[in-house]
Amino acid sequence: MPTPRPRLRAGAVSWRLVPFRLGLVRAAAFLAVASSTTACTASSSPGWTYAPAPSVASAAPAASGAASAAASGPASAAASVIPSAVPSAAAAAPSSSPSGAPSGAVGAQLQLVAKNITFDKKDLSAAAGQAFQIVLDNEDAGVPHNVWIKDATGNIILKDDFFSGVDTRTYDVPALQAATYTFYCSVHNIAAMTGTLTVH
């Protein structure tokens, strides 16, 4: 016959059930902690934000933009300053070429030929206030000629030596006021070798 198991008294706990109960307690405690952790994680928001590192492709345009801005900045400033400064300096600088030749400068050359004891021209003209020249071509071989100039009062303005032909001489005439003058050969002093110089 089998041996009968002893009966437990009411309220007594079998020692064989203690490990099972301890396992249930630990499982319940683990579930409670896990659920509370999940609730806190779901309800609260983190105090920091993750910012991904910039990629090489996005950094390159920024660097190229900064380089282009740095290069264009000084160039733009120089371009805006230099063109404005250069015309100002050019405008301030006096012109090297005068509007009119000074009184000492030589103006026009008037050609005059003496041949057969006669001037080929009876009228010459020159600009007032400007020196000029008379080029006398003496084609009379061995005959002396020259050119003198006098004003309306007979005051001699140009008085020079004569020379024999065939030869050419250039006379420098100072700047004259606007008026009518007489040029002539002082050696012969005849009508054929006398003419009118008009200065205007």
Side-chain angles (χ1 to χ4, degrees), residues 80-95:
S80 62
V81 171
I82 293 176
S84 62
V86 171
S88 302
S95 174

Side-chain angles (χ1 to χ4, degrees), residues 118-137:
T118 302
F119 284 150
D120 68 330
K121 295 182 181 69
K122 301 295 289 182
D123 295 287
L124 297 175
S125 63
Q130 184 174 347
F132 59 96
Q133 293 178 329
I134 295 177
V135 181
L136 176 61
D137 179 12

Side-chain angles (χ1 to χ4, degrees), residues 18-196:
V18 171
F20 176 72
R21 291 182 178 179
L22 288 177
L24 291 177
V25 170
R26 289 177 181 177
F30 176 77
L31 291 175
V33 171
S35 61
S36 62
T37 302
T38 305
C40 292
T41 304
S43 60
S44 60
S45 58
W48 48 269
T49 304
Y50 172 73
S55 62
V56 177
S58 61
S64 63
S68 62
S72 63
S76 306
S80 62
V81 171
I82 293 176
S84 62
V86 171
S88 302
S95 174
S96 58
S97 59
S99 57
S103 58
V106 177
Q109 276 191 345
L110 308 181
Q111 303 294 326
L112 187 63
V113 178
K115 186 176 182 180
N116 298 326
I117 313 179
T118 302
F119 284 150
D120 68 330
K121 295 182 181 69
K122 301 295 289 182
D123 295 287
L124 297 175
S125 63
Q130 184 174 347
F132 59 96
Q133 293 178 329
I134 295 177
V135 181
L136 176 61
D137 179 12
N138 184 358
E139 295 185 3
D140 289 333
V143 179
H145 293 303
N146 63 1
V147 176
W148 284 17
I149 298 176
K150 61 182 179 181
D151 60 16
T153 64
N155 181 36
I156 298 176
I157 296 173
L158 176 64
K159 185 177 182 179
D160 209 337
D161 296 335
F162 57 84
F163 66 99
S164 298
V166 175
D167 200 358
T168 300
R169 182 167 296 183
T170 300
Y171 298 97
D172 294 322
V173 183
L176 301 176
Q177 296 180 354
T180 301
Y181 302 86
T182 300
F183 68 90
Y184 59 99
C185 174
S186 66
V187 177
H188 299 93
N189 197 14
I190 57 178
M193 302 199 75
T194 301
T196 301

